[in-house]
Amino acid sequence: MTQSIQHENEPRANALRARLDTINGIGQRTYTPTQIVVSRARGVRLWTVDGVELIDFTSGVLVSNLGHNHPLFEERYSHYCAELPRTSYNALTEIEVEAAERLVKCMNMSGPRKLLWAASGSEGIQKAMWCALHKKPDCPIMLASRGGFHGKKGLAGDVSGETSPNPNVRFISFPMQEEKPASFYESELDAIAKECGNKIALLITEPYLGAKGSWHPPKWYHKLLQDWCRANDVAYIFDEVQSCHGRTGNMFAYQSYEVEPDLVVLGKGLANGEPAAAVVGRADLIDSLTYGEASDTFSGNPHACAAVCATLDVFEKENIVENCRAMAKVIGVHMCEAMKKFSFIKAVRGEGLVYGIEMSDDATAQRAVLEAYRGVNEKGVHFLGPLAGKVLRVSPPLTITEKDLDDAFSVLNQAWVRI
Ligand SMILES: Cc1ncc(COP(=O)(O)O)c(C=O)c1O
């Protein structure tokens, strides 16, 4: 039997954690030293059941890009949902068509583009990979960035990490600490193509390696992958499950990296918290699947599509992306100052409003999450459990203000002195 996480002076949260422990499989939860129990949320703030206020540096897990209970999002979402059915299977609603049209239009990619819905990021990844594999039925080989994360299910799990149970998966290098010249990455791709007799259907990568510890490559790297894929007739799949909808300071990360992938997978921020994901890309690839091959119970759910439209409404009416860019500068200054103040901060990496703060070791990273949570005077900062052992993920809602960031770093600068 597992033992639930318990914290001092948290009677309500501790009781709930203990109840959960007896009824919910631990496998559903990702370990975090805090296991925060939230009673309400607004904007960038969360309140725990024991009355502590926290600034959200997670956006869920890069999901609530518009913050929690965003007024315009909630108003538009309720408006769209009105009397909609809650089901999509074997039926069509106007909102589903509208959401697809608006999304494809706002991605502004060249050539005919189409879309497939999914109910989670990993399902979207799987569908994108099916498209590429069906398009080239005699080519079973899949290339993936070593150390990437695309989800835990099916093919998404097969192309995550550094080794795969699937014999058709080959991993390629991604620039991290040591940036090698372009020729190194090109030669590696050519060697794999030669070894497998050019039987490659797809190459899947992330704009930046998030889960591996926030590694953001130079633009030329993605351009190189794109050019190589085009030259070798390999589908270039961009996993934007976590980077979509403003996170990198552009609406989509392929704009930040100046590439135009064949298939882009969207999730998380796509519907600001409603479970929705999508594959958008070359119509010929999307059309390689026929009736039923990518259908399931929840994809294209009307409420999820309503949330997709409500999210786009907010992006159109408010300067979310511009705010992300402005706040990137503010947070950059705060992180530099924190690095000077605390010798246990070894590096900061990121762009837009997605950063990794690399700590000296795993234990210090865990402690930093806990001390931020404990905060000062009933106010704290909420982090995800560290990435790759020792990297704190910083990914607040894109609606965060300069004052919110000043408040958050004022808490961190006091709380981390206790480490
Ligand atoms: C880059 C990336 N791809 C795919 C996924 C999988 O998404 P989901 O958890 O919705 O299946 C995630 C989730 O964290 C992710 O960060």
Side-chain angles (χ1 to χ4, degrees):
M1 189 166 140
T2 44
Q3 277 263 282
S4 68
I5 289 171
Q6 300 272 289
H7 295 294
E8 265 177 43
N9 304 321
E10 295 190 359
R12 286 166 191 249
N14 284 342
L16 278 165
R17 292 178 184 121
R19 275 169 64 194
L20 182 90
D21 202 23
T22 64
I23 199 72
N24 189 209
I26 200 83
Q28 193 207 313
R29 319 216 86 77
T30 298
Y31 173 75
T32 160
T34 58
Q35 202 174 119
I36 175 176
V37 183
V38 177
S39 65
R40 66 192 173 91
R42 179 158 291 275
V44 300
R45 285 184 166 70
L46 307 167
W47 286 270
T48 71
V49 286
D50 294 294
V52 173
E53 181 182 309
L54 293 130
I55 295 181
D56 183 7
F57 264 18
T58 73
S59 307
V61 54
L62 301 99
V63 172
S64 307
N65 286 2
L66 303 178
H68 305 281
N69 290 304
H70 184 285
L72 181 59
F73 172 84
E74 297 302 333
E75 182 208 311
R76 298 305 296 160
Y77 178 58
S78 310
H79 164 79
Y80 289 126
C81 287
E83 295 188 308
L84 282 177
R86 288 194 169 271
T87 55
S88 55
Y89 196 81
N90 249 349
L92 190 64
T93 50
E94 190 172 351
I95 197 79
E96 182 184 337
V97 182
E98 212 171 290
E101 284 174 351
R102 285 183 64 182
L103 200 53
V104 172
K105 186 160 178 238
C106 93
M107 292 179 76
N108 196 26
M109 299 171 102
S110 55
R113 300 274 157 172
K114 277 190 170 178
L115 169 151
L116 292 169
W117 293 115
S120 70
S122 45
E123 291 168 37
I125 295 289
Q126 169 125 327
K127 289 183 184 182
M129 295 175 72
W130 281 341
C131 288
L133 291 166
H134 281 232
K135 179 78 178 170
K136 289 177 76 176
D138 298 328
C139 296
I141 304 297
M142 297 166 269
L143 306 185
S145 302
R146 190 176 303 109
F149 180 71
H150 304 286
K152 293 171 190 157
K153 291 166 246 156
L155 286 177
D158 286 355
V159 289
S160 293
E162 310 199 355
T163 55
S164 176
N166 185 329
N168 289 323
V169 173
R170 304 277 192 286
F171 289 104
I172 59 166
S173 304
F174 194 97
M176 292 201 279
Q177 282 106 327
E178 190 195 344
E179 199 180 292
K180 301 190 172 81
S183 56
F184 168 85
Y185 300 99
E186 219 159 1
S187 308
E188 185 181 51
L189 288 163
D190 289 339
I192 297 173
K194 196 167 167 208
E195 174 227 313
C196 68
N198 292 316
K199 295 274 183 204
I200 304 169
L202 63 92
L203 184 158
I204 183 161
T205 189
E206 292 171 79
Y208 54 86
L209 294 190
K212 186 73 182 163
S214 219
W215 297 100
H216 300 250
K219 279 182 192 165
W220 63 255
Y221 175 73
H222 282 303
K223 179 85 172 38
L224 182 153
L225 295 185
Q226 171 181 266
D227 291 348
W228 188 88
C229 285
R230 283 187 185 160
N232 290 275
D233 187 27
V234 168
Y236 177 44
I237 305 178
F238 219 49
D239 177 349
E240 289 225 32
V241 169
Q242 75 161 248
S243 59
C244 70
H245 287 60
R247 187 53 66 183
T248 61
N250 279 296
M251 190 65 179
F252 301 100
Y254 65 80
Q255 296 161 334
S256 301
Y257 287 91
E258 296 172 10
V259 286
E260 196 172 293
D262 297 311
L263 295 170
V264 180
V265 186
L266 313 170
K268 297 188 189 276
L270 166 64
N272 197 41
E274 282 297 304
V279 187
V280 181
R282 268 172 42 199
D284 64 308
L285 284 169
I286 299 276
D287 285 339
S288 71
L289 299 180
T290 187
Y291 273 122
E293 286 180 325
S295 79
D296 46 41
T297 305
F298 291 122
S299 294
N301 177 279
H303 283 237
C305 291
V308 169
C309 287
T311 303
L312 290 177
D313 287 342
V314 179
F315 273 93
E316 281 167 16
K317 293 225 159 44
E318 299 181 4
N319 296 327
I320 306 293
V321 173
E322 291 74 7
N323 189 63
C324 172
R325 285 186 195 169
M327 291 308 110
K329 294 196 181 112
V330 177
I331 205 168
V333 171
H334 279 301
M335 286 189 299
C336 270
E337 279 169 9
M339 209 168 151
K340 280 189 211 138
K341 187 173 161 82
F342 300 112
S343 60
F344 53 76
I345 300 182
K346 297 298 175 197
V348 173
R349 298 182 287 270
E351 61 191 300
L353 281 175
V354 54
Y355 293 86
I357 304 182
E358 186 174 317
M359 299 295 192
S360 49
D361 53 71
D362 296 13
T364 305
Q366 296 268 339
R367 183 82 194 276
V369 171
L370 268 177
E371 293 301 346
Y373 172 66
R374 288 180 187 135
V376 281
N377 302 327
E378 308 271 282
K379 289 195 194 316
V381 177
H382 175 48
F383 283 95
L384 290 162
L387 306 167
K390 60 178 180 181
V391 181
L392 295 200
R393 159 63 81 229
V394 177
S395 53
L398 309 183
T399 50
I400 200 159
T401 63
E402 191 164 350
K403 165 85 171 56
D404 296 327
L405 285 171
D406 292 347
D407 290 350
F409 279 90
S410 161
V411 168
L412 293 178
N413 284 327
Q414 295 173 73
W416 283 352
V417 171
R418 299 192 297 254
I419 295 176

